[in-house]
Amino acid sequence: MSSLITEDEISHETTLVWLEETAGLDYVRQSLDRLSTRRGKPPYHRDGRMIGYALLGPEAKASRSSGTFRRRVFWLLPHDRDTQPEGLYATGAPAEAVDPRTLAARTKGYKTERSEGGPPSTAMRELGITLPI
């Protein structure tokens, strides 16, 4: 859930690895998963597909209780807008969704008018930016 991810929880990220081109995606879902390693492609156990994941630097410490690292994973479900543009998320976006253009290592990402499937904001119109970007 993007609003629940804090800057501190992602402060040891070094890189985001994208498995797919994100330019055509209005949003991706992000979560903090407990993983056994700081680096490498994590296993994926959800419906849908993994779009990307974060790599952590050597200063990232494992949880004392579980021995795991919290890393971001980016994903989409079969009923998301990219595969069902007129479906459940034709407008709006799931709670954990963020616009992939707002993501970077150590940056949690945000929803935008574009990710919400809504009309361009006033600022976008004034700048002459139209959807999709």
Side-chain angles (χ1 to χ4, degrees):
M1 318 316 177
S2 62
S3 61
L4 301 178
I5 293 176
T6 67
E7 300 294 329
D8 185 53
E9 290 172 312
I10 59 176
S11 64
H12 298 298
E13 290 180 348
T14 59
T15 307
L16 298 184
V17 176
W18 296 107
L19 302 173
E20 292 185 21
E21 175 59 49
T22 60
L25 299 174
D26 293 339
Y27 64 81
V28 295
R29 296 172 185 251
Q30 73 174 344
S31 59
L32 275 174
D33 291 0
R34 292 199 174 276
L35 302 169
S36 60
T37 64
R38 289 180 186 93
R39 304 185 69 75
K41 183 180 176 183
Y44 186 72
H45 303 292
R46 296 176 177 92
D47 286 343
R49 66 194 195 274
M50 183 185 327
I51 304 296
Y53 55 90
L55 302 179
L56 303 179
E59 69 284 353
K61 304 290 185 230
S63 164
R64 287 185 279 190
S65 60
S66 68
T68 59
F69 299 90
R70 293 189 75 189
R71 288 172 52 195
R72 281 195 295 176
V73 175
F74 306 99
W75 45 285
L76 288 169
L77 292 176
H79 61 272
D80 279 322
R81 192 183 310 151
D82 70 305
T83 54
Q84 293 187 9
E86 303 302 319
L88 178 63
Y89 294 112
T91 61
E96 67 272 16
V98 294
D99 187 330
R101 288 155 196 79
T102 67
L103 289 165
R106 297 177 301 281
T107 302
K108 65 182 184 172
Y110 299 92
K111 286 190 176 184
T112 63
E113 292 87 358
R114 185 177 181 282
S115 68
E116 290 288 331
S121 66
T122 303
M124 290 176 70
R125 285 192 305 272
E126 288 173 358
L127 292 171
I129 300 170
T130 57
L131 298 176
I133 295 177

